[in-house]
């Protein structure tokens, strides 16, 4: 068994447990990857001690939507100011030159960036596999970084010649897609409690695969007891496309094809109407809210207040780095709070509620009640924020982390293992990773 860890004397612990308990001057004892105890003056002979005085402690943050490979195409000039569809068309030819090493290095960069912002669990949506790339390129990256990982086997099957958006070189035959979904689920999906890797099935969006593949993907996911994920109702063009091609709104399309339920989560959902929100609440369907991406691409403001009030499961996603272009989940949570306020007033969302969405909310969306909260028996995914620095100086409530800061985590534990220590990553040569990533980016620019 791993050595015990004692997080000692935290100024303030936001547990996000069922009663949203907040503790002051308390400790957390971790053994075997789980939280053994939480409370004042805990002791454990021989435990490694992390001094958390001057710190706020929260559950590790949960990222419910990303395209890690896109860290290699941040701030591409032709895509900087384009709308969604034009943006995609700028980037597809670049992505078509990726291979296994691009997938692996870009995933390490994206996951390390998330970890440094306090994220302990991330999903990923990889929907293109050029030049021999495979889902396991990213699974290996997550193991190297040490994050809990929910990769999804994405796909596109309708290329340009069939009236779709992506070039034909980036689409796959639908039979091959389903076959590879089965392969990666059988090889890598671990349904057990405390799992470090769960695989999902995730056709890219209703406009890049057929109705049949959407339906078959849902049947396959149910058969294999894995989750389903896609992009839905992202912007006005998306709604217009759905009405024109399918004769219905995206919510109806999803429902007709089996894409609702507590084993499904959809990214964006900016344009869901009130009946779609009720349907999501009724069916337990989750939402990955991506506020920075929605701002960056001018998609609009997702009705998160209405969703939460209706009882929809909502988590946060930084989305792919080509549409954010940063991957700081703490900054994403702050943006989520600000965006509800700009449209609905200053009391629309508190800092603590946004942090709850970023932790417990995301864990619930991903079907992980064992994560996203600090309580006895839960997984030891713990973020420790130093509030003795400049950002918090003068703060009357440092635990309202999203109002003042900091935006970078001091220490991060994942399954009881210290992935971030004093703002660095002891198990990863970050300098070498960054150098290789920049080298690969330069090759793609040529
Ligand atoms: Zn996305």
């Amino acid at each position: 068994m791993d050595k015990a860890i004692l997080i000692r004397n935290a100024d303030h612990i936001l547990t996000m447990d069922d009663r949203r308990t907040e503790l002051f001057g308390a400790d957390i004892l971790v053994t075997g990857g789980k939280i053994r105890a939480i409370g004042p003056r805990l002791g454990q002979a021989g435990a490694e001690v992390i001094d958390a005085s001057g710190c706020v402690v929260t559950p590790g943050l949960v990222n419910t939507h990303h395209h890690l490979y896109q860290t290699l195409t941040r701030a591409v000039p032709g895509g900087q100011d384009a709308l969604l569809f034009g943006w995609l068309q700028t980037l597809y030819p670049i992505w078509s030159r990726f291979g296994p090493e691009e997938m692996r290095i870009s995933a390490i960069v994206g996951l390390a960036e998330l970890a440094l912002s306090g994220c302990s669990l991330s999903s990923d949506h990889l929907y293109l596999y050029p030049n021999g790339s495979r889902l396991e390129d990213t699974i290996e990256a997550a193991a190297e970084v040490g994050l809990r990982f929910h990769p999804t086997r994405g796909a596109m099957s309708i290329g340009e010649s069939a009236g779709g958006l992506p070039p034909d070189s980036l689409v796959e035959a639908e039979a091959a897609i389903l076959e590879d979904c089965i392969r990666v689920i059988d090889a890598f999906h671990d349904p057990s409690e405390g799992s470090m890797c769960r695989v999902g099935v995730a056709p890219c969006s209703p406009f890049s695969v057929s109705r049949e593949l959407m339906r078959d993907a849902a049947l396959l996911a149910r058969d294999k007891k894995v989750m389903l994920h896609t992009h839905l109702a992202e912007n006005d063009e998306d709604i217009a496309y759905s009405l024109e091609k399918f004769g219905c709104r995206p919510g109806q399309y999803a429902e007709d094809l089996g894409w609702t339920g507590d084993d499904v989560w959809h990214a964006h959902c900016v344009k869901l109407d009130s009946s779609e929100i009720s349907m999501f609440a009724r069916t337990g369907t989750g939402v990955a809210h991506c506020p920075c991406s929605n701002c960056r691409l001018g998609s609009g403001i997702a009705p998160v207040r209405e969703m939460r009030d209706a009882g929809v499961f909502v988590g946060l996603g930084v989305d792919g780095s080509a549409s954010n272009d940063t991957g700081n989940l703490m900054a994403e949570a702050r943006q989520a709070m600000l965006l509800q306020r700009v449209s609905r007033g200053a009391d629309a969302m508190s800092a603590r509620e946004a942090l709850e969405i970023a932790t417990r909310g995301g864990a619930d969306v991903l079907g992980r009640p064992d994560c996203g909260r600090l309580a006895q028996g839960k997984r030891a995914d713990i973020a420790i924020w130093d509030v003795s620095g400049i950002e918090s100086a003068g703060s009357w409530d440092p635990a309202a982390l999203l109002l003042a800061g900091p935006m970078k985590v001091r220490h991060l534990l994942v399954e009881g293992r210290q992935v971030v220590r004093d703002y660095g990553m002891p198990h990863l040569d970050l300098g070498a990773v960054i150098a290789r990533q920049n080298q690969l980016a330069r090759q793609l620019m040529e």
Side-chain angles (χ1 to χ4, degrees):
M1 191 194 275
D2 294 340
K3 191 176 173 186
I5 294 177
L6 182 62
I7 299 168
R8 182 178 279 164
N9 202 26
D11 281 12
H12 198 142
I13 302 177
L14 293 163
T15 66
M16 299 297 169
D17 66 7
D18 293 346
R19 300 168 62 192
R20 310 300 187 267
T21 308
E22 300 192 11
L23 300 167
F24 303 90
D27 305 342
I28 302 175
L29 179 63
V30 171
T31 58
K34 287 163 81 163
I35 295 172
R36 167 74 65 86
I38 180 164
R41 290 177 299 282
L42 302 176
Q44 171 86 1
E48 181 187 338
V49 173
I50 298 175
D51 177 14
S53 55
C55 296
V56 171
V57 178
T58 70
L61 274 51
V62 177
N63 181 40
T64 60
H65 186 64
H66 208 332
H67 312 287
L68 289 165
Y69 74 92
Q70 294 180 3
T71 59
L72 259 173
T73 50
R74 299 192 219 240
V76 171
Q80 284 183 19
D81 307 314
L83 298 179
L84 178 65
F85 285 15
W87 168 89
L88 284 171
Q89 279 159 332
T90 301
L91 290 164
Y92 282 142
I94 304 173
W95 295 337
S96 70
R97 296 170 57 199
F98 278 41
E101 200 196 357
E102 281 79 5
M103 293 300 179
R104 194 180 72 86
I105 296 291
S106 58
I108 292 175
V109 166
L111 291 165
E113 187 184 11
L114 282 170
L116 292 167
S117 75
C119 172
S120 53
L121 162 59
S122 183
S123 65
D124 186 44
H125 188 186
L126 181 56
Y127 52 82
L128 40 86
Y129 295 86
N131 307 308
S133 307
R134 298 187 302 173
L135 191 67
E136 48 265 53
D137 300 326
T138 63
I139 293 173
E140 286 162 14
E144 216 170 306
V145 175
L147 286 205
R148 208 180 289 284
F149 195 41
H150 284 207
T152 60
R153 207 302 181 183
M156 299 191 292
S157 62
I158 303 179
E160 256 170 344
S161 63
L165 212 54
D168 289 353
S169 65
L170 282 181
V171 304
E172 300 170 89
E174 299 199 336
I177 291 167
L178 292 166
E179 204 174 294
D180 198 52
C181 285
I182 294 169
R183 181 186 72 82
V184 293
I185 292 166
D186 289 347
F188 302 107
H189 179 68
D190 172 9
S192 68
E193 189 187 325
S195 167
M196 292 296 287
C197 182
R198 286 196 190 160
V199 177
V201 174
C204 183
S205 67
F207 56 81
S208 50
V209 301
S210 73
R211 177 183 286 267
E212 290 68 37
L213 185 68
M214 291 295 286
R215 187 199 56 214
D216 291 349
L219 293 172
L220 170 63
R222 302 263 149 68
D223 182 47
K224 292 284 186 185
K225 297 186 172 57
V226 301
M227 292 189 72
L228 283 166
H229 181 50
T230 193
H231 294 97
L232 202 78
E234 181 164 354
N235 63 8
D236 289 331
E237 287 167 288
D238 201 329
I239 302 293
Y241 186 94
S242 184
L243 289 170
E244 189 199 323
K245 297 273 182 185
F246 311 135
C248 64
R249 290 184 51 88
Q252 183 73 55
Y253 189 71
E255 197 171 25
D256 288 350
L257 296 172
W259 277 76
T260 54
D262 61 6
D263 55 353
V264 183
W265 84 108
H266 294 286
H268 301 303
C269 299
V270 174
K271 299 293 176 179
L272 287 193
D273 67 15
S274 58
S275 70
E276 289 170 315
I277 290 171
S278 317
M279 186 269 284
F280 269 51
R282 194 174 62 244
T283 55
T285 308
V287 169
H289 173 46
C290 308
C292 289
S293 171
N294 298 158
C295 290
R296 163 79 160 77
L297 294 174
S299 302
I301 301 172
V304 172
R305 181 72 276 147
E306 291 89 332
M307 291 176 187
R308 295 264 303 170
D309 290 347
V312 176
F313 294 117
V314 181
L316 289 184
V318 297
D319 203 0
S321 303
S323 65
N324 189 327
D325 304 81
T326 179
N328 183 313
L329 197 54
M330 201 58 165
E332 202 69 38
R334 177 176 163 86
Q335 188 73 13
M337 173 187 75
L338 296 177
L339 213 45
Q340 292 308 301
R341 291 177 175 216
V342 77
S343 57
R344 303 188 53 114
D347 59 353
M349 185 176 285
S350 69
R352 278 173 172 73
E353 185 180 7
L355 193 64
E356 179 183 320
I357 294 171
T359 53
R360 184 186 173 106
D364 289 347
V365 164
L366 296 181
R368 296 304 300 255
D370 54 339
C371 301
R373 56 273 271 161
L374 303 178
Q376 191 182 10
K378 300 298 181 185
R379 309 318 299 183
D381 293 1
I382 305 172
I384 303 175
W385 309 87
D386 191 333
V387 291
S388 65
I390 190 77
E391 309 90 345
S392 309
S395 173
W396 290 35
D397 179 17
L401 282 168
L402 301 180
L403 290 176
M407 288 285 150
K408 291 213 165 183
V409 77
R410 177 164 184 178
H411 305 296
L412 178 72
L413 270 62
V414 182
E415 191 70 2
R417 180 168 178 258
Q418 206 166 351
V419 169
V420 176
R421 177 177 295 155
D422 281 320
Y423 305 101
M425 303 188 72
H427 308 293
L428 198 64
D429 184 349
L430 265 184
V433 168
I434 293 166
R436 185 63 186 138
Q437 169 97 333
N438 283 329
Q439 200 175 25
L440 291 171
R442 275 194 298 276
Q443 285 168 15
L444 290 166
M445 285 172 207
E446 281 163 10

PDB file of all heavy atoms in Angstrom, residues 149-171:
ATOM      1  N   PHE A 149      -8.397   9.671 -15.951  1.00  0.00           N
ATOM      2  CA  PHE A 149      -8.658  10.000 -17.357  1.00  0.00           C
ATOM      3  C   PHE A 149      -9.889   9.279 -17.886  1.00  0.00           C
ATOM      4  O   PHE A 149     -10.048   8.073 -17.684  1.00  0.00           O
ATOM      5  CB  PHE A 149      -7.415   9.584 -18.170  1.00  0.00           C
ATOM      6  CG  PHE A 149      -7.348  10.148 -19.568  1.00  0.00           C
ATOM      7  CD1 PHE A 149      -7.703  11.460 -19.834  1.00  0.00           C
ATOM      8  CD2 PHE A 149      -6.898   9.357 -20.618  1.00  0.00           C
ATOM      9  CE1 PHE A 149      -7.621  11.978 -21.126  1.00  0.00           C
ATOM     10  CE2 PHE A 149      -6.806   9.864 -21.907  1.00  0.00           C
ATOM     11  CZ  PHE A 149      -7.163  11.173 -22.158  1.00  0.00           C
ATOM     12  N   HIS A 150     -10.756  10.035 -18.556  1.00  0.00           N
ATOM     13  CA  HIS A 150     -11.910   9.459 -19.243  1.00  0.00           C
ATOM     14  C   HIS A 150     -11.822   9.783 -20.742  1.00  0.00           C
ATOM     15  O   HIS A 150     -12.490  10.703 -21.219  1.00  0.00           O
ATOM     16  CB  HIS A 150     -13.214  10.019 -18.665  1.00  0.00           C
ATOM     17  CG  HIS A 150     -13.595   9.444 -17.339  1.00  0.00           C
ATOM     18  ND1 HIS A 150     -14.892   9.363 -16.905  1.00  0.00           N
ATOM     19  CD2 HIS A 150     -12.849   8.912 -16.341  1.00  0.00           C
ATOM     20  CE1 HIS A 150     -14.930   8.813 -15.702  1.00  0.00           C
ATOM     21  NE2 HIS A 150     -13.704   8.539 -15.327  1.00  0.00           N
ATOM     22  N   PRO A 151     -10.985   9.061 -21.479  1.00  0.00           N
ATOM     23  CA  PRO A 151     -10.892   9.304 -22.917  1.00  0.00           C
ATOM     24  C   PRO A 151     -12.159   8.820 -23.613  1.00  0.00           C
ATOM     25  O   PRO A 151     -12.771   7.842 -23.166  1.00  0.00           O
ATOM     26  CB  PRO A 151      -9.693   8.449 -23.327  1.00  0.00           C
ATOM     27  CG  PRO A 151      -9.712   7.304 -22.356  1.00  0.00           C
ATOM     28  CD  PRO A 151     -10.192   7.894 -21.048  1.00  0.00           C
ATOM     29  N   THR A 152     -12.547   9.498 -24.669  1.00  0.00           N
ATOM     30  CA  THR A 152     -13.676   8.997 -25.454  1.00  0.00           C
ATOM     31  C   THR A 152     -13.212   8.741 -26.881  1.00  0.00           C
ATOM     32  O   THR A 152     -12.437   9.516 -27.440  1.00  0.00           O
ATOM     33  CB  THR A 152     -14.871   9.979 -25.467  1.00  0.00           C
ATOM     34  OG1 THR A 152     -14.458  11.226 -26.037  1.00  0.00           O
ATOM     35  CG2 THR A 152     -15.409  10.198 -24.064  1.00  0.00           C
ATOM     36  N   ARG A 153     -13.709   7.634 -27.439  1.00  0.00           N
ATOM     37  CA  ARG A 153     -13.370   7.285 -28.812  1.00  0.00           C
ATOM     38  C   ARG A 153     -14.345   8.052 -29.712  1.00  0.00           C
ATOM     39  O   ARG A 153     -15.470   7.634 -29.934  1.00  0.00           O
ATOM     40  CB  ARG A 153     -13.492   5.768 -29.001  1.00  0.00           C
ATOM     41  CG  ARG A 153     -12.616   5.148 -30.096  1.00  0.00           C
ATOM     42  CD  ARG A 153     -12.827   5.696 -31.470  1.00  0.00           C
ATOM     43  NE  ARG A 153     -11.970   5.050 -32.479  1.00  0.00           N
ATOM     44  CZ  ARG A 153     -11.949   5.419 -33.752  1.00  0.00           C
ATOM     45  NH1 ARG A 153     -12.686   6.436 -34.181  1.00  0.00           N
ATOM     46  NH2 ARG A 153     -11.170   4.785 -34.611  1.00  0.00           N
ATOM     47  N   GLY A 154     -13.880   9.193 -30.198  1.00  0.00           N
ATOM     48  CA  GLY A 154     -14.687  10.008 -31.088  1.00  0.00           C
ATOM     49  C   GLY A 154     -14.578   9.514 -32.515  1.00  0.00           C
ATOM     50  O   GLY A 154     -13.865   8.549 -32.797  1.00  0.00           O
ATOM     51  N   ALA A 155     -15.305  10.196 -33.429  1.00  0.00           N
ATOM     52  CA  ALA A 155     -15.270   9.771 -34.822  1.00  0.00           C
ATOM     53  C   ALA A 155     -15.963  10.779 -35.717  1.00  0.00           C
ATOM     54  O   ALA A 155     -16.870  11.496 -35.277  1.00  0.00           O
ATOM     55  CB  ALA A 155     -15.983   8.426 -34.965  1.00  0.00           C
ATOM     56  N   MET A 156     -15.509  10.823 -36.972  1.00  0.00           N
ATOM     57  CA  MET A 156     -16.225  11.545 -38.022  1.00  0.00           C
ATOM     58  C   MET A 156     -16.334  10.596 -39.208  1.00  0.00           C
ATOM     59  O   MET A 156     -15.374   9.893 -39.535  1.00  0.00           O
ATOM     60  CB  MET A 156     -15.453  12.798 -38.437  1.00  0.00           C
ATOM     61  CG  MET A 156     -15.266  13.800 -37.296  1.00  0.00           C
ATOM     62  SD  MET A 156     -14.637  15.411 -37.852  1.00  0.00           S
ATOM     63  CE  MET A 156     -12.976  14.985 -38.368  1.00  0.00           C
ATOM     64  N   SER A 157     -17.502  10.590 -39.857  1.00  0.00           N
ATOM     65  CA  SER A 157     -17.661   9.671 -40.995  1.00  0.00           C
ATOM     66  C   SER A 157     -18.187  10.351 -42.260  1.00  0.00           C
ATOM     67  O   SER A 157     -18.203   9.739 -43.322  1.00  0.00           O
ATOM     68  CB  SER A 157     -18.592   8.513 -40.612  1.00  0.00           C
ATOM     69  OG  SER A 157     -19.875   9.015 -40.303  1.00  0.00           O
ATOM     70  N   ILE A 158     -18.627  11.599 -42.152  1.00  0.00           N
ATOM     71  CA  ILE A 158     -19.148  12.284 -43.353  1.00  0.00           C
ATOM     72  C   ILE A 158     -18.144  13.332 -43.805  1.00  0.00           C
ATOM     73  O   ILE A 158     -18.024  14.408 -43.214  1.00  0.00           O
ATOM     74  CB  ILE A 158     -20.514  12.943 -43.068  1.00  0.00           C
ATOM     75  CG1 ILE A 158     -21.508  11.894 -42.562  1.00  0.00           C
ATOM     76  CG2 ILE A 158     -21.044  13.615 -44.336  1.00  0.00           C
ATOM     77  CD1 ILE A 158     -22.869  12.461 -42.224  1.00  0.00           C
ATOM     78  N   GLY A 159     -17.396  12.993 -44.851  1.00  0.00           N
ATOM     79  CA  GLY A 159     -16.382  13.902 -45.372  1.00  0.00           C
ATOM     80  C   GLY A 159     -16.942  14.859 -46.412  1.00  0.00           C
ATOM     81  O   GLY A 159     -18.130  14.803 -46.756  1.00  0.00           O
ATOM     82  N   GLU A 160     -16.053  15.713 -46.909  1.00  0.00           N
ATOM     83  CA  GLU A 160     -16.433  16.733 -47.888  1.00  0.00           C
ATOM     84  C   GLU A 160     -17.186  16.162 -49.089  1.00  0.00           C
ATOM     85  O   GLU A 160     -18.195  16.716 -49.512  1.00  0.00           O
ATOM     86  CB  GLU A 160     -15.166  17.448 -48.385  1.00  0.00           C
ATOM     87  CG  GLU A 160     -14.985  18.825 -47.796  1.00  0.00           C
ATOM     88  CD  GLU A 160     -13.599  19.414 -48.106  1.00  0.00           C
ATOM     89  OE1 GLU A 160     -12.680  18.663 -48.516  1.00  0.00           O
ATOM     90  OE2 GLU A 160     -13.449  20.633 -47.932  1.00  0.00           O
ATOM     91  N   SER A 161     -16.705  15.022 -49.597  1.00  0.00           N
ATOM     92  CA  SER A 161     -17.318  14.474 -50.819  1.00  0.00           C
ATOM     93  C   SER A 161     -18.757  14.017 -50.576  1.00  0.00           C
ATOM     94  O   SER A 161     -19.539  13.880 -51.497  1.00  0.00           O
ATOM     95  CB  SER A 161     -16.473  13.323 -51.364  1.00  0.00           C
ATOM     96  OG  SER A 161     -16.446  12.266 -50.420  1.00  0.00           O
ATOM     97  N   ALA A 162     -19.096  13.772 -49.296  1.00  0.00           N
ATOM     98  CA  ALA A 162     -20.471  13.366 -48.966  1.00  0.00           C
ATOM     99  C   ALA A 162     -21.280  14.534 -48.409  1.00  0.00           C
ATOM    100  O   ALA A 162     -22.329  14.337 -47.790  1.00  0.00           O
ATOM    101  CB  ALA A 162     -20.428  12.215 -47.970  1.00  0.00           C
ATOM    102  N   GLY A 163     -20.766  15.745 -48.605  1.00  0.00           N
ATOM    103  CA  GLY A 163     -21.508  16.923 -48.154  1.00  0.00           C
ATOM    104  C   GLY A 163     -21.202  17.334 -46.725  1.00  0.00           C
ATOM    105  O   GLY A 163     -21.852  18.211 -46.167  1.00  0.00           O
ATOM    106  N   GLY A 164     -20.196  16.702 -46.114  1.00  0.00           N
ATOM    107  CA  GLY A 164     -19.831  17.043 -44.734  1.00  0.00           C
ATOM    108  C   GLY A 164     -18.791  18.152 -44.685  1.00  0.00           C
ATOM    109  O   GLY A 164     -18.369  18.678 -45.712  1.00  0.00           O
ATOM    110  N   LEU A 165     -18.354  18.468 -43.477  1.00  0.00           N
ATOM    111  CA  LEU A 165     -17.415  19.562 -43.272  1.00  0.00           C
ATOM    112  C   LEU A 165     -15.950  19.126 -43.354  1.00  0.00           C
ATOM    113  O   LEU A 165     -15.132  19.781 -43.990  1.00  0.00           O
ATOM    114  CB  LEU A 165     -17.719  20.193 -41.902  1.00  0.00           C
ATOM    115  CG  LEU A 165     -17.481  21.682 -41.722  1.00  0.00           C
ATOM    116  CD1 LEU A 165     -18.203  22.528 -42.766  1.00  0.00           C
ATOM    117  CD2 LEU A 165     -17.935  22.093 -40.315  1.00  0.00           C
ATOM    118  N   PRO A 166     -15.557  18.009 -42.706  1.00  0.00           N
ATOM    119  CA  PRO A 166     -14.141  17.635 -42.696  1.00  0.00           C
ATOM    120  C   PRO A 166     -13.664  17.077 -44.030  1.00  0.00           C
ATOM    121  O   PRO A 166     -14.464  16.540 -44.804  1.00  0.00           O
ATOM    122  CB  PRO A 166     -14.071  16.550 -41.607  1.00  0.00           C
ATOM    123  CG  PRO A 166     -15.446  16.046 -41.435  1.00  0.00           C
ATOM    124  CD  PRO A 166     -16.382  17.130 -41.861  1.00  0.00           C
ATOM    125  N   PRO A 167     -12.359  17.192 -44.309  1.00  0.00           N
ATOM    126  CA  PRO A 167     -11.817  16.578 -45.525  1.00  0.00           C
ATOM    127  C   PRO A 167     -11.929  15.056 -45.435  1.00  0.00           C
ATOM    128  O   PRO A 167     -11.922  14.497 -44.337  1.00  0.00           O
ATOM    129  CB  PRO A 167     -10.350  17.010 -45.515  1.00  0.00           C
ATOM    130  CG  PRO A 167     -10.041  17.360 -44.101  1.00  0.00           C
ATOM    131  CD  PRO A 167     -11.320  17.855 -43.500  1.00  0.00           C
ATOM    132  N   ASP A 168     -12.017  14.423 -46.592  1.00  0.00           N
ATOM    133  CA  ASP A 168     -12.202  12.970 -46.618  1.00  0.00           C
ATOM    134  C   ASP A 168     -11.081  12.227 -45.883  1.00  0.00           C
ATOM    135  O   ASP A 168     -11.303  11.149 -45.333  1.00  0.00           O
ATOM    136  CB  ASP A 168     -12.293  12.474 -48.065  1.00  0.00           C
ATOM    137  CG  ASP A 168     -13.618  12.905 -48.718  1.00  0.00           C
ATOM    138  OD1 ASP A 168     -14.482  13.460 -47.989  1.00  0.00           O
ATOM    139  OD2 ASP A 168     -13.780  12.708 -49.936  1.00  0.00           O
ATOM    140  N   SER A 169      -9.881  12.832 -45.851  1.00  0.00           N
ATOM    141  CA  SER A 169      -8.749  12.139 -45.217  1.00  0.00           C
ATOM    142  C   SER A 169      -8.922  12.016 -43.701  1.00  0.00           C
ATOM    143  O   SER A 169      -8.232  11.226 -43.066  1.00  0.00           O
ATOM    144  CB  SER A 169      -7.452  12.884 -45.521  1.00  0.00           C
ATOM    145  OG  SER A 169      -7.471  14.165 -44.918  1.00  0.00           O
ATOM    146  N   LEU A 170      -9.828  12.787 -43.106  1.00  0.00           N
ATOM    147  CA  LEU A 170     -10.000  12.725 -41.652  1.00  0.00           C
ATOM    148  C   LEU A 170     -11.213  11.914 -41.226  1.00  0.00           C
ATOM    149  O   LEU A 170     -11.498  11.816 -40.033  1.00  0.00           O
ATOM    150  CB  LEU A 170     -10.108  14.144 -41.073  1.00  0.00           C
ATOM    151  CG  LEU A 170      -8.789  14.910 -40.927  1.00  0.00           C
ATOM    152  CD1 LEU A 170      -9.037  16.282 -40.326  1.00  0.00           C
ATOM    153  CD2 LEU A 170      -7.785  14.143 -40.074  1.00  0.00           C
ATOM    154  N   VAL A 171     -11.951  11.363 -42.190  1.00  0.00           N
ATOM    155  CA  VAL A 171     -13.127  10.586 -41.791  1.00  0.00           C
ATOM    156  C   VAL A 171     -12.832   9.095 -41.924  1.00  0.00           C
ATOM    157  O   VAL A 171     -11.916   8.687 -42.627  1.00  0.00           O
ATOM    158  CB  VAL A 171     -14.393  10.978 -42.605  1.00  0.00           C
ATOM    159  CG1 VAL A 171     -14.653  12.466 -42.476  1.00  0.00           C
ATOM    160  CG2 VAL A 171     -14.276  10.544 -44.048  1.00  0.00           C
TER     161      VAL A 171
END
